[in-house]
C-alpha cells in the first residue's frame, strides 16, 4: 500500500517506537493520529507533524472506541494501525516477598496483549468497509511483539507471555481478515534505544549494545519505523512476525 493520503493510527505514538513510526508515516504523506495514554507527549509531536493527538487507554474498550471515533472524524477511517503501546515490568514469579501479585501479571498482559487485540478489532472493523485498493487491499495492521516472546528472561514471565500472545495471534488474525483484504503483521524488536532504555546508565546501555552480534549497538527507533513502512508497502508480507534484533538471542538472565 502507498500510505500517501491515507489515515493511520499509531498507539503509544507519543514516545519511543511509536513516535518514530508516526514521524515516518507522516513523512510518507499519511494523516497520522497518535493515540496515547500520555496525551501531553502525543500533542507535542502531533503539532510538529500536523497530526492529531488523542488520549487512549488501549486496554479499555470505551476509551479505545472513543479514540477511534475521534480519529475517524478528523482523518477518515484508517487504513493502517500500528500497535506500539505497551509496558514492561520486571518481576520474579517468586520474590523475596512471596509469589508475584496476580494483578502485576494481569496488568502487563492487559495492556500489551488485550490492548493490541482491542485496537486490531476496532481498526479492522473500519477497514473492512473501505473501498479496496490494488490487489483488493483495504488495510494493514502492524503490532509490536518482542524477542522476549521467544527467549523471555528471568523476571519477564508477564512480559514474555504478553508479547508471545501478540506473536501467536498474528497468523490467525491474518488468515481471518484476509477475506476483507486486511493484512496483519508483527515486529519483534530486540534491544532498542527507547525512553525506558535511555533511563539506564550509559555504561549499561553500552554493555547491552555490545551483546548484539551486529550492529553492536542498541537499535534505533527509526529502524523499527522503517520496517513498519516496509510492512505497509509490501503486499506479500502477511501473517508474519519479523525479528528486528541484529541476530541477538537473549540469555536466561
Amino acid at each position: 500500500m502507498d500510505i500517501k493520503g491515507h489515515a493511520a493510527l499509531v498507539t503509544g505514538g507519543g514516545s519511543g517506537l511509536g513516535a518514530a513510526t508516526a514521524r515516518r508515516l507522516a513523512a510518507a504523506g499519511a494523516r497520522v493520529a497518535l493515540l496515547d495514554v500520555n496525551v501531553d507527549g502525543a500533542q507535542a509531536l502531533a503539532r510538529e507533524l500536523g497530526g492529531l493527538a488523542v488520549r487512549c487507554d488501549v486496554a479499555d474498550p470505551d476509551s479505545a472506541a472513543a479514540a477511534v471515533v475521534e480519529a475517524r472524524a478528523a482523518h477518515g477511517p484508517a487504513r493502517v494501525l500500528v500497535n506500539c503501546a505497551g509496558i514492561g515490568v520486571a518481576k520474579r514469579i517468586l520474590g523475596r516477598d512471596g509469589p508475584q501479585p496476580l494483578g502485576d501479571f494481569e496488568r502487563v498482559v492487559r495492556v500489551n496483549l488485550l490492548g493490541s487485540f482491542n485496537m486490531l478489532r476496532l481498526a479492522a472493523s473500519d477497514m473492512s468497509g473501505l473501498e479496496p485498493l490494488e490487489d483488493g487491499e483495504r488495510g494493514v495492521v502492524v503490532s509490536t511483539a518482542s524477542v522476549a516472546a521467544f527467549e523471555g528472561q528471568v523476571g519477564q514471565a508477564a512480559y514474555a507471555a504478553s508479547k508471545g500472545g501478540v506473536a501467536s495471534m498474528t497468523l490467525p488474525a491474518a488468515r481471518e481478515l484476509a477475506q476483507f483484504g486486511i493484512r496483519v503483521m508483527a515486529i519483534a524488536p530486540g534491544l532498542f534505544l527507547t525512553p525506558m532504555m535511555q533511563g539506564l546508565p550509559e555504561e549499561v546501555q553500552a554493555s547491552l549494545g555490545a551483546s548484539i552480534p551486529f550492529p553492536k549497538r542498541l537499535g534505533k527507533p527509526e529502524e523499527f519505523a522503517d520496517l513498519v513502512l516496509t510492512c505497509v508497502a509490501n503486499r506479500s508480507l502477511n501473517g508474519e512476525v519479523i525479528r528486528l534484533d541484529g541476530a541477538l538471542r537473549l540469555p536466561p538472565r
Side-chain angles (χ1 to χ4, degrees):
M1 179 192 302
D2 181 356
I3 190 60
K4 186 175 181 179
H6 295 303
L9 306 173
V10 181
T11 73
S15 63
L17 302 180
T21 299
R23 283 194 170 94
R24 281 286 194 270
L25 289 169
R31 301 190 300 273
V32 183
L34 292 76
L35 280 53
D36 205 309
V37 70
N38 176 18
V39 73
D40 291 338
Q43 285 174 338
L45 182 56
R47 285 192 294 269
E48 174 190 328
L49 302 179
L52 174 72
V54 183
R55 190 190 183 283
C56 177
D57 178 351
V58 295
D60 180 89
D62 294 335
S63 176
V68 171
V69 168
E70 184 174 343
R72 184 196 308 133
H75 293 163
R79 287 197 184 268
V80 171
L81 165 67
V82 186
N83 278 317
C84 290
I87 59 174
V89 179
K91 186 167 286 190
R92 290 174 179 260
I93 298 168
L94 295 178
R96 293 172 181 167
D97 298 326
Q100 178 180 355
L102 187 59
D104 291 348
F105 186 98
E106 181 182 28
R107 178 169 173 262
V108 175
V109 172
R110 182 172 177 78
V111 173
N112 295 355
L113 176 55
L114 184 65
S116 294
F117 177 78
N118 189 28
M119 295 305 304
L120 181 152
R121 73 184 182 93
L122 294 171
S125 179
D126 273 359
M127 292 174 187
S128 67
L130 294 172
E131 287 298 314
L133 303 174
E134 190 173 351
D135 287 335
E137 184 176 38
R138 287 188 171 88
V140 183
V141 177
V142 182
S143 294
T144 305
S146 167
V147 295
F150 312 105
E151 301 115 34
Q153 296 180 293
V154 170
Q156 285 188 342
Y159 185 73
S162 68
K163 294 301 187 177
V166 170
S168 293
M169 77 176 178
T170 299
L171 181 58
R175 286 172 163 171
E176 179 177 340
L177 297 179
Q179 63 184 308
F180 303 109
I182 300 170
R183 295 187 288 114
V184 183
M185 296 288 298
I187 299 172
L191 300 177
F192 270 69
L193 191 58
T194 59
M196 182 175 64
M197 192 69 72
Q198 288 172 332
L200 298 175
E202 289 189 8
E203 60 271 19
V204 175
Q205 294 183 36
S207 175
L208 290 171
S211 69
I212 300 172
F214 186 83
K216 284 192 170 296
R217 58 164 173 78
L218 297 174
K220 300 176 182 179
E222 295 77 13
E223 293 169 327
F224 176 92
D226 287 341
L227 184 52
V228 169
L229 260 65
T230 297
C231 291
V232 171
N234 191 325
R235 289 187 298 278
S236 287
L237 285 174
N238 194 15
E240 186 59 83
V241 181
I242 303 175
R243 292 184 67 124
L244 187 65
D245 59 18
L248 174 70
R249 297 298 181 268
L250 295 175
R253 299 174 188 272

